[in-house]
Amino acid sequence: QVQLAESGGGSVQAGGSLKLSCAASLFTYASYCMAWFRQAPGKEREGVVIGASGGSTFYADSVKGRFTISHDDEKKTLYLQMMNLKPEDTAMYYCATAPRSQCYRDDRWSARSYAYWGQGTQVTVSS
């Protein structure tokens, strides 16, 4: 099984920044589609950013220019740098993985396309 563990969430004022981490038990030679999703109370889980290892990256329109995905292969960690946070960014944030080919399918933004998930880390942005 692939195990994922998010960290780095917290409470910040609007305009602030946070950097989330997702530690993964993935083999360094494996290729995956890596994603960050978020879910606010009473709302559906939505994709934030999706990236293929060594390939394309897709950002949701709501976070373009503010959020950036990156990774550290040695630490087997996926990161989400969040800048200029807004109250509407408040949600539980999850990292997820799927086979690399999923990043290039039309249903890449569907949570049901991802088999492995972390427990989530809470991000709260106040005004």
Side-chain angles (χ1 to χ4, degrees), residues 32-94:
Y32 291 96
C33 178
M34 301 167 286
W36 283 97
F37 281 74
R38 66 187 182 186
Q39 186 168 25
K43 300 183 65 177
E44 296 183 2
R45 191 167 298 187
E46 64 174 348
V48 177
V49 57
I50 298 167
S53 58
S56 302
T57 301
F58 307 88
Y59 289 91
D61 289 341
S62 60
V63 305
K64 285 182 179 178
R66 299 190 299 121
F67 291 11
T68 303
I69 192 172
S70 63
H71 68 277
D72 185 323
D73 289 341
E74 293 185 1
K75 295 182 178 180
K76 297 181 180 179
T77 301
L78 180 70
Y79 301 100
L80 180 65
Q81 177 65 251
M82 305 184 294
M83 308 290 289
N84 190 26
L85 285 161
K86 304 176 180 180
E88 52 262 44
D89 294 319
T90 295
M92 184 73 75
Y93 282 71
Y94 302 89

Coordinates of all heavy atoms in Angstrom, one line a residue, residues 32-94:
Y32 N 4.2 8.6 -10.8 CA 2.8 8.7 -10.4 C 2.3 10.1 -10.8 O 3.0 11.0 -11.1 CB 2.7 8.7 -8.9 CG 3.0 7.3 -8.3 CD1 4.2 6.9 -7.8 CD2 1.9 6.4 -8.2 CE1 4.4 5.7 -7.3 CE2 2.1 5.1 -7.7 CZ 3.4 4.8 -7.2 OH 3.6 3.5 -6.7
C33 N 0.9 10.1 -10.8 CA 0.2 11.4 -10.9 C 0.0 11.8 -9.4 O -0.6 11.1 -8.6 CB -1.1 11.2 -11.6 SG -2.1 12.7 -11.7
M34 N 0.5 13.0 -9.1 CA 0.4 13.5 -7.7 C -0.6 14.7 -7.7 O -0.5 15.6 -8.5 CB 1.8 13.9 -7.2 CG 2.8 12.8 -7.3 SD 4.5 13.3 -7.0 CE 4.8 14.0 -8.6
A35 N -1.4 14.7 -6.6 CA -2.4 15.8 -6.6 C -2.6 16.3 -5.1 O -2.4 15.6 -4.2 CB -3.7 15.2 -7.1
W36 N -3.1 17.5 -5.1 CA -3.6 18.1 -3.8 C -5.1 18.4 -4.0 O -5.4 19.0 -5.0 CB -2.9 19.4 -3.5 CG -1.5 19.2 -2.9 CD1 -0.3 19.2 -3.5 CD2 -1.2 18.9 -1.5 NE1 0.7 19.0 -2.6 CE2 0.2 18.8 -1.4 CE3 -2.0 18.8 -0.3 CZ2 0.9 18.6 -0.2 CZ3 -1.3 18.5 0.9 CH2 0.1 18.4 0.9
F37 N -5.9 17.9 -3.1 CA -7.3 18.2 -3.1 C -7.7 19.0 -1.8 O -6.9 18.9 -0.9 CB -8.1 17.0 -3.2 CG -8.3 16.4 -4.6 CD1 -7.2 15.8 -5.2 CD2 -9.4 16.5 -5.3 CE1 -7.3 15.2 -6.5 CE2 -9.6 16.0 -6.6 CZ -8.5 15.3 -7.2
R38 N -8.8 19.6 -1.8 CA -9.3 20.2 -0.5 C -10.8 20.0 -0.4 O -11.5 19.9 -1.4 CB -8.9 21.7 -0.5 CG -9.6 22.6 -1.5 CD -9.0 24.0 -1.5 NE -9.7 24.8 -2.5 CZ -9.3 26.1 -2.7 NH1 -8.2 26.6 -2.1 NH2 -9.9 26.8 -3.6
Q39 N -11.3 20.1 0.8 CA -12.7 19.9 1.1 C -13.1 20.8 2.2 O -12.6 20.6 3.4 CB -13.0 18.4 1.3 CG -14.5 18.2 1.4 CD -14.9 16.7 1.4 OE1 -14.0 15.9 1.7 NE2 -16.1 16.4 1.0
A40 N -14.0 21.6 2.0 CA -14.6 22.5 3.1 C -15.9 21.8 3.6 O -16.5 21.0 2.8 CB -14.9 23.9 2.5
P41 N -16.3 22.1 4.8 CA -17.5 21.5 5.3 C -18.7 21.7 4.4 O -19.0 22.9 4.0 CB -17.7 22.2 6.7 CG -16.3 22.5 7.1 CD -15.6 23.0 5.8
G42 N -19.5 20.7 4.1 CA -20.6 20.8 3.3 C -20.4 20.9 1.8 O -21.3 21.1 1.1
K43 N -19.1 20.9 1.4 CA -18.8 21.0 0.0 C -18.1 19.7 -0.5 O -17.6 18.9 0.3 CB -17.9 22.2 -0.2 CG -18.5 23.5 0.2 CD -17.6 24.7 -0.2 CE -17.4 24.9 -1.6 NZ -16.6 26.1 -2.0
E44 N -18.1 19.6 -1.8 CA -17.5 18.4 -2.4 C -15.9 18.6 -2.4 O -15.4 19.7 -2.4 CB -17.9 18.2 -3.9 CG -19.4 17.9 -4.0 CD -19.8 17.6 -5.4 OE1 -19.0 17.6 -6.3 OE2 -21.0 17.3 -5.6
R45 N -15.2 17.5 -2.4 CA -13.8 17.5 -2.5 C -13.4 18.0 -3.9 O -13.9 17.5 -4.9 CB -13.2 16.2 -2.2 CG -11.7 16.2 -2.1 CD -11.2 14.8 -1.5 NE -11.8 14.6 -0.2 CZ -11.4 13.6 0.6 NH1 -10.5 12.7 0.2 NH2 -12.0 13.4 1.8
E46 N -12.5 19.0 -4.0 CA -12.1 19.6 -5.2 C -10.6 19.6 -5.4 O -9.8 19.7 -4.5 CB -12.6 21.1 -5.3 CG -12.0 22.0 -4.3 CD -12.4 23.4 -4.5 OE1 -13.0 23.8 -5.6 OE2 -12.2 24.3 -3.6
G47 N -10.2 19.4 -6.7 CA -8.8 19.4 -7.0 C -8.2 20.8 -6.9 O -8.8 21.7 -7.4
V48 N -7.0 20.9 -6.4 CA -6.2 22.1 -6.3 C -5.1 22.2 -7.3 O -5.0 23.2 -8.1 CB -5.7 22.3 -4.9 CG1 -4.8 23.6 -4.8 CG2 -6.7 22.3 -3.8
V49 N -4.3 21.2 -7.4 CA -3.2 21.1 -8.3 C -2.9 19.6 -8.6 O -3.0 18.8 -7.7 CB -2.0 21.9 -7.9 CG1 -1.5 21.4 -6.5 CG2 -0.9 21.8 -8.9
I50 N -2.6 19.3 -9.8 CA -2.3 17.9 -10.2 C -1.0 18.0 -11.1 O -0.9 18.8 -12.0 CB -3.4 17.3 -11.1 CG1 -4.7 17.3 -10.2 CG2 -3.1 16.0 -11.6 CD1 -6.0 17.0 -11.0
G51 N -0.1 17.1 -10.8 CA 1.2 17.1 -11.5 C 1.7 15.7 -11.8 O 1.6 14.8 -10.9
A52 N 2.1 15.4 -13.0 CA 2.7 14.2 -13.4 C 4.2 14.3 -13.1 O 4.9 15.3 -13.4 CB 2.5 13.9 -14.9
S53 N 4.8 13.2 -12.5 CA 6.2 13.2 -12.3 C 7.0 13.4 -13.5 O 6.8 12.7 -14.5 CB 6.6 11.9 -11.6 OG 6.3 10.8 -12.4
G54 N 7.8 14.4 -13.6 CA 8.6 14.7 -14.7 C 7.8 15.2 -15.9 O 8.3 15.2 -17.1
G55 N 6.5 15.6 -15.7 CA 5.7 16.1 -16.8 C 4.9 17.3 -16.5 O 5.4 18.2 -15.9
S56 N 3.6 17.3 -17.0 CA 2.8 18.5 -16.9 C 2.2 18.7 -15.5 O 2.0 17.8 -14.7 CB 1.6 18.3 -17.9 OG 2.1 18.2 -19.2
T57 N 1.9 20.0 -15.3 CA 1.3 20.4 -14.0 C 0.0 21.2 -14.3 O 0.0 22.0 -15.3 CB 2.2 21.3 -13.2 OG1 3.4 20.6 -12.9 CG2 1.5 21.7 -11.9
F58 N -1.1 20.9 -13.6 CA -2.4 21.6 -13.8 C -2.8 22.2 -12.5 O -2.9 21.5 -11.5 CB -3.4 20.5 -14.3 CG -3.0 19.7 -15.5 CD1 -2.3 18.5 -15.3 CD2 -3.3 20.1 -16.8 CE1 -1.9 17.8 -16.4 CE2 -2.9 19.4 -17.9 CZ -2.2 18.2 -17.7
Y59 N -3.2 23.5 -12.6 CA -3.7 24.2 -11.4 C -5.1 24.6 -11.6 O -5.5 24.9 -12.7 CB -2.9 25.5 -11.2 CG -1.5 25.3 -10.7 CD1 -0.4 25.1 -11.6 CD2 -1.2 25.2 -9.4 CE1 0.9 24.9 -11.2 CE2 0.1 25.0 -8.9 CZ 1.2 24.9 -9.8 OH 2.4 24.7 -9.4
A60 N -5.9 24.5 -10.5 CA -7.3 25.0 -10.6 C -7.2 26.5 -10.8 O -6.3 27.2 -10.3 CB -8.0 24.7 -9.3
D61 N -8.2 27.0 -11.5 CA -8.2 28.5 -11.8 C -8.2 29.3 -10.5 O -7.6 30.4 -10.5 CB -9.5 28.8 -12.6 CG -9.4 28.3 -14.0 OD1 -8.3 28.0 -14.5 OD2 -10.4 28.2 -14.7
S62 N -8.8 28.8 -9.5 CA -8.9 29.5 -8.2 C -7.6 29.7 -7.5 O -7.5 30.6 -6.6 CB -9.9 28.9 -7.3 OG -9.5 27.5 -7.0
V63 N -6.6 29.0 -7.8 CA -5.3 29.1 -7.1 C -4.1 29.4 -8.0 O -3.0 29.6 -7.5 CB -5.0 27.8 -6.4 CG1 -6.1 27.4 -5.5 CG2 -4.7 26.6 -7.4
K64 N -4.4 29.6 -9.3 CA -3.3 29.9 -10.3 C -2.6 31.2 -9.8 O -3.3 32.2 -9.5 CB -3.8 30.0 -11.7 CG -4.1 28.7 -12.3 CD -4.6 28.9 -13.8 CE -4.9 27.6 -14.4 NZ -5.4 27.7 -15.8
G65 N -1.3 31.2 -9.8 CA -0.6 32.4 -9.4 C -0.4 32.6 -8.0 O 0.4 33.4 -7.5
R66 N -1.0 31.7 -7.1 CA -0.9 31.8 -5.7 C -0.3 30.5 -5.1 O 0.4 30.6 -4.1 CB -2.3 32.1 -5.0 CG -2.9 33.4 -5.5 CD -4.1 33.7 -4.6 NE -5.2 32.7 -4.8 CZ -5.6 32.0 -3.7 NH1 -5.2 32.1 -2.5 NH2 -6.6 31.1 -3.9
F67 N -0.6 29.4 -5.7 CA -0.2 28.1 -5.1 C 0.9 27.5 -6.1 O 0.8 27.6 -7.3 CB -1.3 27.1 -5.0 CG -2.3 27.4 -3.9 CD1 -2.3 28.6 -3.3 CD2 -3.3 26.5 -3.6 CE1 -3.2 28.9 -2.3 CE2 -4.2 26.8 -2.6 CZ -4.2 28.0 -1.9
T68 N 1.8 26.8 -5.5 CA 2.9 26.1 -6.3 C 3.2 24.8 -5.8 O 3.4 24.6 -4.6 CB 4.2 27.0 -6.3 OG1 3.9 28.3 -6.8 CG2 5.2 26.3 -7.2
I69 N 3.2 23.8 -6.6 CA 3.5 22.4 -6.2 C 5.0 22.1 -6.5 O 5.6 22.6 -7.4 CB 2.7 21.4 -7.0 CG1 2.8 20.0 -6.4 CG2 3.0 21.3 -8.5 CD1 1.8 19.0 -6.9
S70 N 5.6 21.4 -5.6 CA 7.0 21.0 -5.8 C 7.3 19.7 -5.0 O 6.4 19.1 -4.4 CB 8.0 22.1 -5.2 OG 7.8 22.2 -3.8
H71 N 8.5 19.1 -5.2 CA 8.7 17.8 -4.5 C 10.2 17.7 -4.2 O 11.1 18.4 -4.7 CB 8.3 16.7 -5.4 CG 9.1 16.5 -6.7 ND1 8.9 17.3 -7.8 CD2 10.2 15.7 -6.9 CE1 9.7 17.0 -8.7 NE2 10.5 16.0 -8.2
D72 N 10.5 16.8 -3.3 CA 11.9 16.4 -2.9 C 12.0 14.9 -3.0 O 11.4 14.2 -2.1 CB 12.2 16.9 -1.5 CG 13.6 16.7 -1.1 OD1 14.2 15.7 -1.5 OD2 14.1 17.6 -0.3
D73 N 12.6 14.4 -4.0 CA 12.7 13.0 -4.2 C 13.4 12.3 -3.1 O 13.1 11.1 -2.7 CB 13.4 12.7 -5.5 CG 12.6 13.0 -6.7 OD1 11.4 13.2 -6.6 OD2 13.2 13.2 -7.8
E74 N 14.5 12.9 -2.5 CA 15.2 12.2 -1.4 C 14.4 12.0 -0.2 O 14.5 11.0 0.5 CB 16.5 13.0 -1.1 CG 17.5 13.0 -2.2 CD 18.8 13.7 -1.8 OE1 18.9 14.2 -0.6 OE2 19.7 13.8 -2.6
K75 N 13.6 13.0 0.1 CA 12.7 12.9 1.3 C 11.3 12.3 1.0 O 10.5 12.1 1.9 CB 12.5 14.3 1.8 CG 13.7 15.0 2.4 CD 13.4 16.4 3.0 CE 14.6 17.0 3.6 NZ 14.3 18.4 4.1
K76 N 11.1 12.0 -0.3 CA 9.8 11.4 -0.8 C 8.7 12.2 -0.3 O 7.7 11.8 0.3 CB 9.7 10.0 -0.2 CG 10.7 9.0 -0.8 CD 10.5 7.6 -0.2 CE 11.5 6.6 -0.7 NZ 11.3 5.2 -0.2
T77 N 8.8 13.5 -0.5 CA 7.8 14.5 0.0 C 7.3 15.4 -1.1 O 8.1 15.9 -1.9 CB 8.4 15.4 1.1 OG1 8.9 14.5 2.2 CG2 7.4 16.3 1.6
L78 N 6.0 15.6 -1.1 CA 5.3 16.5 -2.0 C 5.0 17.8 -1.3 O 4.5 17.7 -0.1 CB 4.1 15.9 -2.6 CG 3.2 16.7 -3.6 CD1 4.0 16.8 -4.9 CD2 1.9 16.0 -3.8
Y79 N 5.1 18.9 -1.8 CA 4.8 20.2 -1.2 C 3.8 21.0 -1.9 O 3.6 20.9 -3.1 CB 6.1 21.1 -1.1 CG 7.2 20.4 -0.3 CD1 8.3 19.8 -1.0 CD2 7.3 20.4 1.1 CE1 9.3 19.2 -0.3 CE2 8.3 19.8 1.8 CZ 9.3 19.2 1.1 OH 10.4 18.6 1.7
L80 N 3.1 21.8 -1.1 CA 2.2 22.8 -1.7 C 2.4 24.1 -1.0 O 2.1 24.3 0.1 CB 0.7 22.4 -1.5 CG -0.3 23.4 -2.1 CD1 -0.2 23.4 -3.6 CD2 -1.7 23.0 -1.7
Q81 N 3.1 25.0 -1.7 CA 3.3 26.4 -1.2 C 2.1 27.3 -1.6 O 1.8 27.4 -2.7 CB 4.6 27.0 -1.9 CG 4.9 28.4 -1.5 CD 5.2 28.5 0.0 OE1 4.4 29.1 0.8 NE2 6.4 28.0 0.4
M82 N 1.5 27.8 -0.5 CA 0.3 28.6 -0.7 C 0.6 30.0 -0.3 O 1.0 30.3 0.8 CB -0.8 28.0 0.2 CG -1.1 26.6 -0.1 SD -2.6 26.0 0.8 CE -2.0 26.1 2.5
M83 N 0.4 31.0 -1.2 CA 0.7 32.4 -1.0 C -0.6 33.2 -1.1 O -1.6 32.7 -1.8 CB 1.7 32.9 -2.0 CG 3.0 32.1 -2.1 SD 4.0 32.2 -0.7 CE 4.6 33.9 -0.9
N84 N -0.7 34.3 -0.5 CA -1.8 35.2 -0.6 C -3.1 34.5 -0.3 O -4.1 34.5 -1.1 CB -1.9 35.9 -1.9 CG -2.9 37.0 -2.0 OD1 -3.3 37.6 -1.0 ND2 -3.4 37.3 -3.2
L85 N -3.1 33.8 0.8 CA -4.3 33.0 1.2 C -5.6 33.8 1.4 O -5.5 34.9 1.9 CB -4.0 32.1 2.4 CG -3.1 30.9 2.2 CD1 -2.5 30.5 3.5 CD2 -3.9 29.8 1.5
K86 N -6.7 33.2 1.0 CA -8.0 33.9 1.1 C -8.9 33.1 2.0 O -8.7 31.9 2.1 CB -8.6 34.1 -0.3 CG -7.7 34.8 -1.3 CD -8.4 34.9 -2.6 CE -7.5 35.6 -3.6 NZ -8.1 35.7 -5.0
P87 N -9.9 33.7 2.6 CA -10.9 32.9 3.4 C -11.5 31.7 2.7 O -11.7 30.7 3.3 CB -11.9 34.0 3.8 CG -11.2 35.2 3.8 CD -10.2 35.1 2.7
E88 N -11.7 31.9 1.4 CA -12.3 30.8 0.6 C -11.3 29.6 0.4 O -11.7 28.5 -0.1 CB -12.8 31.2 -0.7 CG -11.8 32.0 -1.5 CD -11.9 33.5 -1.4 OE1 -12.2 34.0 -0.3 OE2 -11.9 34.2 -2.4
D89 N -10.1 29.7 0.8 CA -9.1 28.6 0.8 C -9.3 27.7 2.0 O -8.6 26.7 2.1 CB -7.7 29.2 0.7 CG -7.4 29.9 -0.6 OD1 -7.8 29.4 -1.6 OD2 -6.7 30.9 -0.5
T90 N -10.0 28.2 3.0 CA -10.2 27.4 4.2 C -10.8 26.0 3.9 O -11.9 25.9 3.2 CB -11.2 28.1 5.2 OG1 -10.5 29.3 5.6 CG2 -11.5 27.2 6.4
A91 N -10.1 24.9 4.3 CA -10.6 23.6 4.0 C -9.6 22.6 4.6 O -8.5 23.0 5.1 CB -10.6 23.4 2.5
M92 N -10.0 21.3 4.5 CA -9.1 20.2 4.8 C -8.3 19.9 3.6 O -9.0 19.7 2.5 CB -9.8 19.0 5.4 CG -8.9 17.9 5.8 SD -8.1 18.2 7.4 CE -9.4 18.0 8.5
Y93 N -7.0 19.9 3.6 CA -6.2 19.6 2.4 C -5.7 18.2 2.4 O -5.1 17.8 3.4 CB -5.1 20.7 2.3 CG -5.5 22.0 1.8 CD1 -6.3 22.8 2.6 CD2 -5.2 22.4 0.5 CE1 -6.8 24.1 2.1 CE2 -5.7 23.7 0.0 CZ -6.4 24.5 0.8 OH -6.9 25.7 0.4
Y94 N -5.8 17.5 1.3 CA -5.4 16.2 1.2 C -4.4 16.0 0.0 O -4.6 16.7 -1.0 CB -6.6 15.2 0.9 CG -7.6 15.3 2.0 CD1 -8.7 16.2 1.9 CD2 -7.6 14.3 3.0 CE1 -9.7 16.2 2.8 CE2 -8.6 14.4 3.9 CZ -9.7 15.3 3.8 OH -10.7 15.3 4.8

